[in-house]
Amino acid sequence: MSGIRIAVFISGRGSNLEAIIDSIDRGQINGEIGLVISDRYKARGLKIAQKKGIESLYLGKKNYSDKYKRIDKTLQVLDDYNIDLIVLAGYMSIVNEKIVKKYRNKIMNIHPSLIPAFSGKGYYGSLVHEEVLKYGVKITGATVHFVDENTDTGPIIIQREVKVSDNETLESLSKKVLEIEHQILPEAIKLFAENKLIIEGRIVKRLTI
Ligand code: GAR
């Protein structure tokens, strides 16, 4: 059985991209990364892709200042590269609804909290952990979910928790949550690639056979 073709959208560091690459290299995911798209020209993740010989592309305001032309170009490359699954791995732009509609339940996002807590507009990257620490919750974590038309509201695929200790710092919490992210994002992709995710409305179940 030939595997799925994945497009990974990034904006920066690309550690989740690395986790996906490692998982594919270990033979855990039945698929390959066909394309990496970054909305930031200088994203470290672009270099990671290039080193691995993965096709990569900057698609942002610098080369496509017109939003609608940018969306059309994105749709075109996704088509050209025969993409089955889009993975938002630290992608800080909102995916336009035209793309969401065409790839319904075929776009996954990793978010650094237990959605619906600390999610939605304005909650991204380390700002999420700052809010977690300010609020004083004792448990946080990470979520992989499908992307719908709103921010962080789509069907949840996997969540995993981490404890917030009394002497937690922004650095220690970010590190702990990132470790969890690097586990659950490849896990979710693996399940998708094996056709083991059953979506009923906003409920996602796993086929256990
Ligand atoms: C990750 O923590 C990811 O969950 C978060 O940005 C970081 C990217 O790290 N994403 C969001 O906040 C999206 N709302 P990475 O570039 O090293 O993968």
Side-chain angles (χ1 to χ4, degrees), residues 12-16 89-92 109-112 123-125 178 181:
R13 184 176 49 192
S15 73
N16 278 290
Y91 188 63
M92 300 305 172
N109 179 45
I110 178 86
H111 183 78
Y123 286 97
Y124 57 88
L178 205 57
E181 293 184 35

Side-chain angles (χ1 to χ4, degrees), residues 9-18 44-45 48 88-93 109-113 119-120 123-129 142-143 145 151-152 174 177-178 181-182 185:
F9 286 24
I10 56 156
S11 296
R13 184 176 49 192
S15 73
N16 278 290
L17 168 64
E18 278 179 312
R44 173 181 172 262
I48 295 169
L88 311 185
Y91 188 63
M92 300 305 172
S93 297
N109 179 45
I110 178 86
H111 183 78
S113 77
S119 65
Y123 286 97
Y124 57 88
S126 61
L127 288 176
V128 174
H129 304 312
T143 303
H145 65 92
T151 310
D152 300 332
S174 308
V177 174
L178 205 57
E181 293 184 35
H182 296 165
L185 186 56

